[in-house]
Amino acid sequence: MLKKAQEAAKYIREQGIYQSDTAIILGTGLGKLADEIEVDVSIDYKNIPHFPLSTVEFHSGKLIFGTIAGKKVLVMNGRFHFYEGYSLKEVTFPVRVMKLLGVKNLLVSNAAGAINLSFPPASLMVIDDHINFLPGNPLTGKNHDEFGPRFPDMSRPYDPEFIGILEEIADKNNITLNKGVYVAWIGPSLETRAEYRFIKTMGADVVGMSTVPEVIVANHQGMRVAAVSVITDLCDPDNLKPVDINDILRNAAIAEKDLVLLFTELIKRL
Ligand code: HPA
């Protein structure tokens, strides 16, 4: 893994991407942040050695280096999901490469369904904690001490200072920002009513199919993380309608403006 990550990082540097403190992973329907970037370099994932290929049709699969709010950022436009068939090590490979490129902060967005029914669709939730309910952990197997310790601490996987800044920005701009726990579900099938009841008892506020593997690896490497979920649908087991992907995309699009503002202002302050 280390050698592959080094080869990928070397190729990326050769394309003119140098140090940026902050990397961003853009989730489903949240591509508008990409429009905010003054692009210096854009690389198709397929050209980067050992990078997994993006398969979900909504994702263009590009690594973009440029400026947002006066700061150099590295943006993953298109992410990898476990449900697409990638291993958790493949899903998190780009985060390993980020570390070799000198990235210190990781900002992540995703789409999630609300288990906590007080979180309305098209609103945002800053992730305060997570439950890894995927069938594995990206850190199993040999530990690479170059990246981090065998047993990384997870007492605060989402940086409390970043959460505070995001709450402050939301407050100032009249954006409703919920805060809570994200659980990563395998997918790709949506959850049954019984599963939603079960997830509620786990203590999760929202459920989605991403983010947690990348956050585990980022923490392993000592990176500071902020993550925000766009609430796309209500997961009410007593009143469950068949999910409509168009509703999900529409709600993600409505929330996009607020999310772009939150991330842009956070980047300014990093
Ligand atoms: N489950 C339910 N609703 C969702 C999800 C999910 O994983 N992602 C986005 N909306």
Side-chain angles (χ1 to χ4, degrees):
M1 188 277 286
L2 180 61
K3 192 160 169 287
K4 284 183 176 173
Q6 284 166 339
E7 283 169 11
K10 179 169 178 284
Y11 173 84
I12 291 166
R13 265 194 228 98
E14 284 166 1
Q15 309 313 303
I17 293 181
Y18 49 94
Q19 157 85 38
S20 75
D21 284 347
T22 301
I24 309 168
I25 302 176
L26 300 180
T28 305
L30 307 169
K32 276 251 165 62
L33 191 60
D35 300 342
E36 298 288 307
I37 313 169
E38 290 164 47
V39 179
D40 293 336
V41 183
S42 174
I43 311 174
D44 286 346
Y45 289 168
K46 65 176 182 327
N47 295 331
I48 304 173
H50 314 299
F51 240 56
L53 287 177
S54 188
T55 56
V56 174
E57 57 189 301
F58 318 118
H59 291 160
S60 53
K62 278 187 171 40
L63 188 69
I64 303 168
F65 180 66
T67 307
I68 296 180
K71 299 275 167 68
K72 289 292 177 201
V73 291
L74 187 63
V75 177
M76 275 184 73
N77 194 4
R79 67 130 61 89
F80 306 103
H81 300 88
F82 183 74
Y83 67 74
E84 293 173 283
Y86 302 111
S87 71
L88 291 171
K89 288 195 170 51
E90 288 172 321
V91 166
T92 54
F93 180 77
V95 185
R96 293 302 190 192
V97 176
M98 286 173 193
K99 178 70 181 176
L100 297 179
L101 292 170
V103 170
K104 297 183 179 66
N105 311 311
L106 180 64
L107 314 186
V108 188
S109 71
N110 59 51
I115 300 291
N116 183 333
L117 302 178
S118 72
F119 295 174
S123 71
L124 301 172
M125 185 196 88
V126 59
I127 304 181
D128 180 46
D129 208 345
H130 71 222
I131 297 170
N132 179 22
F133 207 65
L134 297 172
N137 185 301
L139 305 182
T140 55
K142 177 180 156 47
N143 185 60
H144 290 279
D145 298 333
E146 302 86 345
F147 285 110
R150 171 78 287 188
F151 300 108
D153 177 61
M154 285 287 152
S155 58
R156 289 282 185 278
Y158 301 83
D159 190 90
E161 193 187 336
F162 289 173
I163 293 173
I165 296 173
L166 285 167
E167 288 182 312
E168 215 180 289
I169 298 165
D171 207 38
K172 240 185 228 152
N173 292 280
N174 282 321
I175 294 170
T176 304
L177 185 62
N178 308 290
K179 181 162 71 174
V181 175
Y182 176 101
V183 60
W185 201 260
I186 303 178
S189 50
L190 274 295
E191 299 75 23
T192 64
R193 289 165 298 160
E195 286 167 343
Y196 284 141
R197 287 191 189 97
F198 169 56
I199 291 170
K200 197 177 171 89
T201 67
M202 292 166 95
D205 292 292
V206 302
V207 56
M209 301 173 190
S210 67
T211 303
V212 168
E214 295 99 315
V215 171
I216 290 173
V217 166
N219 272 270
H220 180 238
Q221 302 172 158
M223 288 160 73
R224 300 172 75 190
V225 176
V228 176
S229 294
V230 170
I231 309 296
T232 54
D233 53 301
L234 284 182
C235 305
D236 180 359
D238 299 321
N239 198 5
L240 193 62
K241 296 175 202 73
V243 72
D244 182 343
I245 185 74
N246 293 314
D247 280 347
I248 288 187
L249 293 178
R250 195 176 316 117
N251 285 328
I254 293 169
E256 194 157 17
K257 193 168 75 46
D258 288 345
L259 184 69
V260 168
L261 190 147
L262 281 187
F263 273 25
T264 309
E265 291 297 313
L266 175 61
I267 292 162
K268 252 186 220 168
R269 300 232 224 143
L270 293 176

